[in-house]
Each structure stands twice: as C-alpha cells, then as structure tokens.
Amino acid sequence: MDTSAALAIFRKNLEKYVVFNEAEWIVFTQHLKFSLLKKKHYFAEPEKVCDKVGFALTGSVRYFHMKDGQDITGYFTFENEFVSSYKSYLTGQPGHIYIQALDDCRLITFTRNDMDQMLNNPLLAFKMERFGRLVAENCLCCYDDRITSFITKTPEERYLQLLSTGKEVLQRIPQHYIAHYLGITPVSLSRIRRRVMETVR
Amino acid sequence: MDTSAALAIFRKNLEKYVVFNEAEWIVFTQHLKFSLLKKKHYFAEPEKVCDKVGFALTGSVRYFHMKDGQDITGYFTFENEFVSSYKSYLTGQPGHIYIQALDDCRLITFTRNDMDQMLNNPLLAFKMERFGRLVAENCLCCYDDRITSFITKTPEERYLQLLSTGKEVLQRIPQHYIAHYLGITPVSLSRIRRRVMETVR
DNA sequence: TCAAAACGTTAACATAAGATAAGAAATAGG
DNA sequence: CCTATTTCTTATCTTATGTTAACGTTTTGA
C-alpha cells in the first residue's frame, strides 16, 4: 500500500464525519505523518501527555491500565479506527493508560498542535470543529452503551452481548484481555463460557 | 429569579465552553425556552426520541433504566448542569432511559431543531460547532473516568472514590440510587458502608 | 396530622466472583 | 524444528455479592 492509496483510505473513512474538498484536503494532508508502530511498542504511556491521534491503516492496539503490578485491558481498536489516549489528547494532561500494538501498525498521525493550527486556519477551521464534534459525539455513544452495560447487566450478560454483536475482529484477541474488558477476571470468564456452553446444550 | 437573571446564569455557565458576544447572544436566546419540570415528572422516556437539551437552573434529575420491572439508576445531574438523553438527542433515535425530576426543576431548553438551525446560521454556526464539540469532549472525559473505574476498581473502591471526590451534592440522593450508580445493589452498598466504618475505627 | 410509602440496615441463604496454583494446549520466536 | 512463553481450563478455597425478607425509621403527601 503506497502513500496515496493510504491517504485515499483515510479520506474515505473520514467521510462519515466530514467530506473535504480538494483544497481543504491538500492543507489537511500537510499536517499528516506516516509512521510504523511495531508490535509490542507503545503509542501512549502513563505519566506522559499523548499529544497525537493515529489512524490505523493496518494492525490493532490494546489499551491497558496497570494496577498493583497487574495489567488490566480496557479496550482495543483495529484497522481503520482511530488510536489515541483521547482524554490526554483533549486535556493536554498526562494519561493513565498504555496503548500497545498487538501487531505491527501502519499509522497516519496528526498532533494536537497540528489540530490547533487547523482550527486556527480559516480554510479548515469550520470543518475541523465539526470533525472534532462528530468524532467526540460518536465516541460518546459507544461509551454510553458500555457504561449502561456495566450498570444494567451481569458479567454473563455482557459476555453474551459481546458475542451477539459478533465483532469477529475480537476473535483474534486473547480471551484474558476480553475478560478485563468485560470487567471480570480471566478465570471468571472461562467459567462463564463453560456455563453458557452447558446451558446451550 | 426572573428571566434575565436566569439567562445571565446560563450565559455564565456556558463560558467554560464558548463566550458569546451580544449579537450572537441575542440570536442564541431566541432559540431558548423556559420550562418547569415538576418533581417526579419525566424529561425523557424510553421508546421516545429525546429531541432537546435542558439546562437546570434549579433542581436535580435522575437517569434510570428499567430491567425486568426493576428501576436501575445510572446517573444524576444537578443545578447548573445539562439534562438530556444525550445519545438519543445526538442520534435522533429513541432512547432507552427515563429522566425524572427529583425536585421541581426550572429549565432552559433548546431543541435539536433549534440547534440545527443555529448550526446553519452563519452568525452562530462556528461557535455552535465549537460549543457542541467542547460539551461532547468534556462529557467524554467523565465517561472515560467512569468506565475506567468499572474496569479497574472494586465496588468498595468505587464507593470510596465517590466519597473522596466529595460531591456533597450526592448527600441528597437516596443511597439505593447511589448503589446502582456504582453498579451494585443497595444491600451490598449498605454492607460496604459498614465494612468501611469498621475499618476506619 | 396521620397513614402510607420510601428508606436503610441486618440476617440467612444461594450464587458468583476473586485468588492461587497446576497442568494441558497453543503459539511465538529464534 | 524445538523450546520458552503464552493462553486457557480446571480445581480449591475464600470472599463478596445477589436475593429475599423482616424490621425500625424517616419522609411524603393527602
């Protein structure tokens, strides 16, 4: 995949938020950088400000916390999705999470500074405000669903919900990471799976 | 509190997002309505599209789900905060939650239609895009913290965290509502409180 | 003011989850 | 290809939570 093909894919994926005309796209792309995040390397780390957003052309990442020396996975993103310690990016404050590549990731990135420049560039400002709004709003809806599932569902129900939404993309993810994503221990998820299997039978 | 005093308070509270000049403010306020939501009445209900956002001048509201005939509280907001079934407002799809007044609430409201008009009004569009973005981003940070607490903390730790953030405003809220907000049952919260008391002693 | 409803605690019991450890299976990486 | 690591399951034990019900207290609303 060459640079222009990658940009075309990125542009296509942005269309659910905003559509750039040619002039805008030229300026926008001047703020983009390509990078490779190799497997097990970190996109973000605690105590550090995450001043950038990435878009994964290929590869996937894992978001995790460290608590009492234990690594607790909170989220994943996959190809054609954004990657960032979003809260840190937004606030400019140090984040609390690790973001680690599960595979080699080909990324398109822009920094907070780039975004601020674009927000101050009359040619792009309006569209970037809208872009930022729509991304945040979209993200908010996902967060809302997730909080609701913690409030109203049991771990078993959350697991069944995850199965039913059938993100086959989760197939690749080790099960103990998924357990923490569901708010339980790997051992507990293993038991839930057995329970579910026996019930279905 | 008369109308102009109420508007002044609203304006002041919006300043953490955007600052309106006089011309903008005049247009903006033309889209606002005042209303009274009486105690126990609903601002939003499941199956209905919530097409508006409120700002509570006075009063507080409770957000809850119904599951198997049981009422499960997910959130609260208080005076000088926004009220909305935000996801429903954003998507235009029917919501899943009840929003019920805990006290009589004096509200300033605007509809989604009003917002869309303002987003299409050159005088206001840019500022409203930014407003929408900053509100969503701010909300996102709160949601992020909450999800993190479900992933990384025990119910007891979540309760202690809630105490320490010392929102005295929660003092007014019945404890069984807070239990569900923390993702546990009222009986369990009562036991946690006893445990904590005994430990402190 | 008074009866009804809501609220918080406690108890008893059943169930599920956490912690730890062990072992088998799958995977990774040289 | 082979070893080291990772991953998943299972077992045991402990602890926390859910469920239900009872009781006393407080609050509400007519």
Side-chain angles (χ1 to χ4, degrees):
Chain A
M1 180 168 55
D2 68 4
T3 297
S4 71
L7 285 174
I9 289 172
F10 186 37
R11 191 173 186 175
K12 187 76 190 164
N13 275 276
L14 292 179
E15 278 174 14
K16 70 171 174 177
Y17 303 110
V18 288
V19 177
F20 293 93
N21 65 33
E22 293 310 311
E24 291 163 349
W25 184 248
I26 288 169
V27 179
F28 180 62
T29 55
Q30 285 168 359
H31 290 279
L32 303 179
K33 286 207 174 68
F34 284 82
S35 69
L36 176 66
L37 184 69
K38 292 190 77 81
K39 182 170 180 174
K40 298 202 173 167
H41 286 225
Y42 293 95
F43 184 84
E45 293 177 69
E47 318 291 334
K48 294 184 181 174
V49 174
C50 175
D51 74 334
K52 59 189 190 297
V53 170
F55 174 84
L57 295 159
T58 62
S60 51
V61 300
R62 176 172 78 96
Y63 299 62
F64 67 94
H65 298 260
M66 286 301 288
K67 185 193 181 192
D68 308 328
Q70 226 201 345
D71 142 1
I72 300 177
T73 299
Y75 199 54
F76 316 91
T77 55
F78 303 93
E79 58 263 342
N80 296 327
E81 295 184 337
F82 288 112
V83 178
S84 185
S85 184
Y86 200 9
K87 190 180 157 195
S88 175
Y89 169 83
L90 291 175
T91 62
Q93 298 299 306
H96 303 283
I97 54 169
Y98 294 88
I99 303 179
Q100 187 187 42
L102 290 165
D103 315 294
D104 286 359
C105 294
R106 275 181 52 77
L107 300 174
I108 294 176
T109 63
F110 57 85
T111 65
R112 178 61 194 251
N113 188 41
D114 282 306
M115 178 57 84
D116 288 339
Q117 281 178 39
M118 292 189 275
L119 287 167
N120 285 312
N121 177 341
L123 183 70
L124 281 182
F126 187 83
K127 203 152 277 188
M128 296 318 288
E129 286 289 351
R130 171 159 289 190
F131 173 60
R133 175 171 70 87
L134 294 176
V135 168
E137 289 177 354
N138 184 65
C139 190
L140 204 65
C141 291
C142 299
Y143 282 31
D144 191 275
D145 290 342
R146 190 145 179 230
I147 290 171
T148 296
S149 79
F150 280 117
I151 293 291
T152 65
K153 291 183 193 295
T154 63
E156 181 168 329
E157 288 168 334
R158 288 201 293 279
Y159 173 65
L160 291 172
Q161 174 186 257
L162 183 65
L163 282 188
S164 71
T165 59
K167 296 258 282 180
E168 64 210 38
V169 83
L170 282 179
Q171 304 285 332
R172 317 179 207 158
I173 303 294
Q175 187 175 304
H176 63 286
Y177 291 159
I178 293 174
H180 287 132
Y181 169 79
L182 294 171
I184 57 179
T185 60
V187 175
S188 192
L189 177 56
S190 186
R191 285 187 292 231
I192 286 171
R193 282 162 54 83
R194 185 177 50 185
R195 247 179 4 238
V196 169
M197 287 300 180
E198 282 166 0
T199 308
V200 169
R201 204 175 299 155
Chain B
M1 179 169 54
D2 69 6
T3 296
S4 71
L7 284 175
I9 288 171
F10 186 37
R11 190 175 188 173
K12 187 77 190 163
N13 275 277
L14 292 180
E15 278 174 14
K16 71 171 170 175
Y17 303 110
V18 289
V19 177
F20 293 95
N21 66 34
E22 292 312 311
E24 292 163 348
W25 184 248
I26 287 170
V27 179
F28 180 62
T29 55
Q30 285 167 358
H31 290 278
L32 304 178
K33 287 206 173 68
F34 284 82
S35 69
L36 178 65
L37 183 71
K38 292 189 76 83
K39 183 172 181 172
K40 295 202 175 169
H41 286 226
Y42 293 95
F43 184 85
E45 293 177 69
E47 318 292 332
K48 295 182 181 174
V49 174
C50 175
D51 74 334
K52 58 191 192 295
V53 169
F55 174 85
L57 294 158
T58 63
S60 50
V61 300
R62 176 171 78 95
Y63 299 61
F64 67 95
H65 298 260
M66 286 301 287
K67 186 193 180 190
D68 309 328
Q70 224 200 348
D71 142 0
I72 300 177
T73 300
Y75 200 53
F76 317 91
T77 55
F78 303 93
E79 61 262 342
N80 296 328
E81 295 185 337
F82 288 112
V83 179
S84 185
S85 183
Y86 199 10
K87 189 181 156 191
S88 175
Y89 168 84
L90 291 175
T91 63
Q93 298 298 307
H96 304 282
I97 55 168
Y98 294 88
I99 303 179
Q100 187 186 42
L102 290 165
D103 315 295
D104 287 357
C105 294
R106 278 180 49 77
L107 300 175
I108 294 176
T109 63
F110 58 85
T111 65
R112 178 60 195 250
N113 188 41
D114 281 306
M115 179 55 84
D116 288 338
Q117 281 178 39
M118 291 189 275
L119 287 169
N120 285 311
N121 178 340
L123 184 70
L124 280 181
F126 187 83
K127 204 153 276 188
M128 297 318 287
E129 286 289 350
R130 171 160 289 192
F131 173 60
R133 174 171 71 87
L134 294 176
V135 169
E137 288 177 354
N138 185 64
C139 191
L140 204 66
C141 291
C142 300
Y143 281 32
D144 192 274
D145 289 342
R146 192 144 176 232
I147 290 172
T148 295
S149 80
F150 280 117
I151 293 290
T152 64
K153 290 183 193 295
T154 64
E156 180 168 328
E157 287 168 335
R158 289 201 292 280
Y159 173 65
L160 291 172
Q161 175 185 256
L162 183 66
L163 283 187
S164 71
T165 59
K167 295 259 282 183
E168 65 210 39
V169 84
L170 283 179
Q171 305 284 331
R172 318 179 205 158
I173 303 295
Q175 189 175 305
H176 63 287
Y177 292 158
I178 293 174
H180 286 134
Y181 170 79
L182 294 171
I184 56 178
T185 61
V187 175
S188 190
L189 178 56
S190 186
R191 284 187 292 231
I192 285 169
R193 282 163 53 83
R194 185 179 47 183
R195 237 169 26 224
V196 170
M197 286 300 181
E198 283 167 0
T199 307
V200 170
R201 207 177 294 152

